């Protein structure tokens, strides 16, 4: 029963890593520089590796590995931390630049006009 609990934790960690990767894909590259964060290219490399490691960790218990041993390995923990740093630090900083196109907006410095 405890193995199922730890396997669910691995799946939740993978979902979080995939969420971070998908969110990073939707942010324009210049938003990272405008928010004084690392480049989009670097974050994409980090998050792709994190998602691959997370997927492998979530699938390993199906191959007979102990979910407890997989969960407390260094790579799944590092992948989770990378996604958590993106979601907690980078995502809020670049959120204001997300979805901005070249079109005109009716927003002024104090709200809509």
């Amino acid at each position: 029963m405890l193995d199922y609990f730890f396997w669910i934790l691995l799946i939740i960690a993978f979902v979080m890593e995939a969420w971070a990767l998908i969110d990073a894909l939707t942010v324009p590259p210049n938003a990272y520089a405008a928010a004084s964060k690392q480049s989009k290219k670097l974050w994409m490399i980090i998050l792709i590796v994190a998602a691959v490691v997370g997927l492998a960790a979530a699938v390993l218990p199906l191959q007979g590995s102990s979910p407890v041993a997989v969960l407390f390995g260094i790579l799944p923990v590092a992948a989770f931390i990378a996604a958590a740093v993106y979601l907690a630090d980078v995502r809020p900083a670049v959120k204001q630049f997300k979805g901005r196109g070249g079109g005109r907006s009716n927003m002024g410095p104090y709200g809509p006009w």
Side-chain angles (χ1 to χ4, degrees):
M1 185 67 178
L2 194 58
D3 282 346
Y4 290 119
F5 173 74
F6 285 110
W7 188 33
I8 289 171
L9 287 179
L10 288 167
I11 293 169
I12 290 170
F14 168 67
V15 168
M16 191 174 119
E17 293 152 1
W19 174 32
L21 176 61
I22 291 167
D23 185 76
L25 284 170
T26 63
V27 176
N30 57 358
Y32 293 89
S36 299
K37 300 297 176 187
Q38 295 294 330
S39 69
K40 180 175 182 169
K41 185 177 184 179
L42 178 63
W43 274 111
M44 292 306 301
I45 291 169
I46 292 169
L47 294 173
I48 288 170
V49 170
V52 168
V53 168
L55 178 62
V59 171
L60 274 175
L62 294 175
Q63 306 296 324
S65 297
S66 168
V68 177
V70 173
L71 182 66
F72 293 117
I74 189 72
L75 289 178
V77 171
F80 179 80
I81 291 172
V85 167
Y86 176 82
L87 291 172
D89 181 44
V90 179
R91 183 175 186 257
V94 298
K95 188 177 183 179
Q96 62 184 339
F97 304 103
K98 192 175 177 180
R100 283 193 178 178
R104 295 182 53 90
S105 168
N106 65 345
M107 291 296 288
Y110 305 109
W113 50 271

